[in-house]
Amino acid sequence: MSHGDWTVRARQDVVYRVTDAPDVFAPDNGALARAARLEPGTSRLVVMDENVFAHHGHAVLAYFLGHRVTPHVLRLTGGESRKTLAAVERIARAADAARLARRDPIVAVGGGVLTDLVGLAASLYRRGTPYVRVPTTLIGLVDAAVGAKTAVNFRGHKNRLGTYHPATDTLLDRGLLRTLDERHIGNGMAEIVKMAVIKDATLFDLLEGHTADLVRTRLAGERGRQVMHRAIDGMLEELEPNLWEHELCRAVDFGHTFSPAVEMVTQPELLHGEAVSVDIALSCALAVDRGLLTPADALRTLALLRAAGLPVRHRVCEPGLLWEALADSTRHRGGEQNIPLPNGLGKCVFAGDLTLPELTRSTELLLRLLDEPGAAV
Ligand SMILES: NC(=O)c1ccc[n+]([C@@H]2O[C@H](COP(=O)([O-])OP(=O)(O)OC[C@H]3O[C@@H](n4cnc5c(N)ncnc54)[C@H](O)[C@@H]3O)[C@@H](O)[C@H]2O)c1
């Protein structure tokens, strides 16, 4: 007989796979058929970015029909302004219309906005439905589609509503980047530079002197493969032991302290990676000011960002807005600043005591660094 006091403890095992799958929509490539459990006579809800549909829709439809599976296709427009609860509701309506059963995986084909939306919809639909991701942007391949987080923006705040619900499978096909414009490749490069600076000096070396080429070739070739693999290795090494973010000191938050506010305030001007790049540049200046990074290594980082076509400063980045941005990130990090800063290239420390005068000084230091000849590409 209980005394009116119950404690429930349960554990959830999480297993998901991220797999290289070149030519993912080639008729004889079985990776997607296995991941989405395509069986003849069944149907699948396929949510696709509109631009991706324009370029690759034919191949996707042929793939499903070739497996004698009926694709119910929902096309969504990409871009940050479309990352809304209304879009999640559209996916849920499409799931109803497709008469989706509880264990039928939804297939998501698109950039980070689309995979975040489908992930959130899948986590809500029947309180959790499986889904499979095929990322089609560089940011998706190395970041958005390899982790567990889903989200929509809410009331002007970036990713304010979201869940942790990884896809059972993510299939990586660099070839899909062929149709993506260079600006969006640069956008993904920001997340790769992030991993290089705080975690992987070898990745930094792979990028240095080759960034513009990697962007132009859309990471085709052996160097592109190594860059993508190292970026994902580093990312998953950081995420796996902290998938639900119980630990709020996260190295992968480098470049994501000031950028959420900068990204939202500048909408639609700055892409996610562009705002991250502006934050990386400022964080490097903070690290130089603290004696953690040499000015020469900060200049090398700025040169990498610029070689990817990324901005390293923006007019909205005055101390008042940056201080407010830090206050919001501090709330997000449970009341601690936890600002990841490079401690030499390839290593990271966390700052918890940044003051407004120091932040102001660092914005000025960044301007001086940018005037140095070495900051140019
Ligand atoms: N969940 C996470 O952990 C995580 C991590 C990083 C970023 N993100 C999120 O990712 C989003 C940014 O992702 P994004 O930059 O991929 O944005 P996006 O999904 O809006 O795609 C960018 C643009 O590229 C187009 N596009 C996509 N693939 C294409 C292709 N292969 N060919 C031609 N055009 C194509 C889209 O139509 C869109 O216009 C942000 O909302 C960010 O918050 C999430």
Side-chain angles (χ1 to χ4, degrees):
M1 183 72 181
S2 97
H3 301 286
D5 181 8
W6 294 265
T7 301
V8 178
R9 272 199 195 88
R11 282 180 187 280
Q12 193 181 6
D13 237 4
V14 176
V15 180
Y16 69 93
R17 288 162 298 271
V18 177
T19 315
D20 250 346
D23 289 324
V24 67
F25 299 122
D28 57 351
N29 188 330
L32 179 58
R34 281 190 297 278
R37 291 190 284 105
L38 303 187
E39 281 146 27
T42 58
S43 68
R44 284 289 175 267
L45 174 60
V46 184
V47 187
M48 280 188 84
D49 177 282
E50 197 164 64
N51 286 327
V52 176
F53 187 84
H55 291 292
H56 307 278
H58 199 71
V60 176
L61 294 180
Y63 187 89
F64 282 88
L65 295 173
H67 285 84
R68 285 181 284 146
V69 171
T70 309
H72 297 284
V73 178
L74 171 66
R75 287 182 255 170
L76 295 178
T77 308
E80 207 55 38
S81 64
R82 304 302 181 112
K83 206 172 157 182
T84 60
L85 271 181
V88 169
E89 205 179 318
R90 279 191 68 190
I91 299 168
R93 282 180 201 280
D96 270 351
R99 306 182 69 78
L100 193 79
R102 189 156 176 178
R103 306 280 186 237
D104 290 348
I106 303 173
V107 179
V109 187
V113 166
L114 185 121
T115 52
D116 274 11
L117 283 170
V118 174
L120 181 55
S123 73
L124 296 174
Y125 195 74
R126 299 185 192 278
R127 299 195 185 89
T129 301
Y131 70 113
V132 173
R133 293 178 286 210
V134 181
T136 60
T137 60
L138 184 55
I139 221 166
L141 284 159
V142 298
D143 194 342
V146 301
K149 294 203 271 193
T150 81
V152 292
N153 302 326
F154 183 63
R155 299 188 68 240
H157 293 287
K158 175 98 187 135
N159 296 336
R160 183 51 53 93
L161 302 180
T163 56
Y164 298 90
H165 187 62
T168 49
D169 281 274
T170 293
L171 302 175
L172 308 176
D173 179 1
R174 262 181 305 153
L176 295 171
L177 299 179
R178 273 196 307 272
T179 54
L180 190 65
D181 62 46
E182 283 197 12
R183 183 179 175 202
H184 281 94
I185 302 285
N187 187 39
M189 273 291 179
E191 301 284 5
I192 297 178
V193 172
K194 167 184 92 173
M195 295 313 299
V197 174
I198 41 107
K199 195 172 166 69
D200 188 348
T202 305
L203 178 57
F204 197 99
D205 291 341
L206 276 170
L207 294 172
E208 201 162 37
H210 298 275
T211 308
D213 224 36
L214 286 162
V215 171
R216 193 180 47 74
T217 61
R218 287 155 175 78
L219 273 79
E222 179 51 23
R223 186 177 292 269
R225 189 191 65 80
Q226 282 181 40
V227 163
M228 184 177 92
H229 281 193
R230 287 199 81 92
I232 295 173
D233 276 350
M235 178 66 75
L236 291 183
E237 237 176 73
E238 290 295 315
L239 297 188
E240 191 179 23
N242 191 27
L243 207 59
W244 316 111
E245 301 188 7
H246 295 301
E247 172 57 70
L248 294 172
C249 264
R250 294 178 357 116
V252 290
D253 280 345
F254 178 54
H256 292 69
T257 300
F258 309 102
S259 66
V262 171
E263 184 179 346
M264 294 314 278
V265 165
T266 55
Q267 273 307 302
E269 189 189 337
L270 287 189
L271 300 175
H272 178 72
E274 293 171 343
V276 168
S277 174
V278 166
D279 184 320
I280 290 177
L282 176 63
S283 299
C284 284
L286 280 165
V288 171
D289 189 58
R290 291 193 164 209
L292 296 166
L293 193 66
T294 63
D297 282 346
L299 290 176
R300 289 171 68 196
T301 305
L302 293 173
L304 274 195
L305 295 168
R306 286 177 146 184
L310 288 160
V312 285
R313 58 180 293 251
H314 192 278
R315 61 185 177 285
V316 300
C317 290
E318 41 77 34
L321 176 106
L322 295 171
W323 190 247
E324 262 181 52
L326 175 60
D328 197 47
S329 286
T330 301
R331 283 191 290 277
H332 193 66
R333 295 173 189 167
E336 304 288 336
Q337 289 182 347
N338 295 345
I339 307 167
L341 294 178
N343 187 15
L345 288 177
K347 280 182 274 160
C348 171
V349 289
F350 295 91
D353 55 356
L354 182 65
T355 61
L356 182 56
E358 188 186 350
L359 183 58
T360 308
R361 201 167 61 235
S362 297
T363 57
E364 290 157 5
L365 173 58
L366 175 61
L367 293 183
R368 286 202 300 283
L369 284 170
L370 290 173
D371 275 345
E372 300 261 342
V377 179

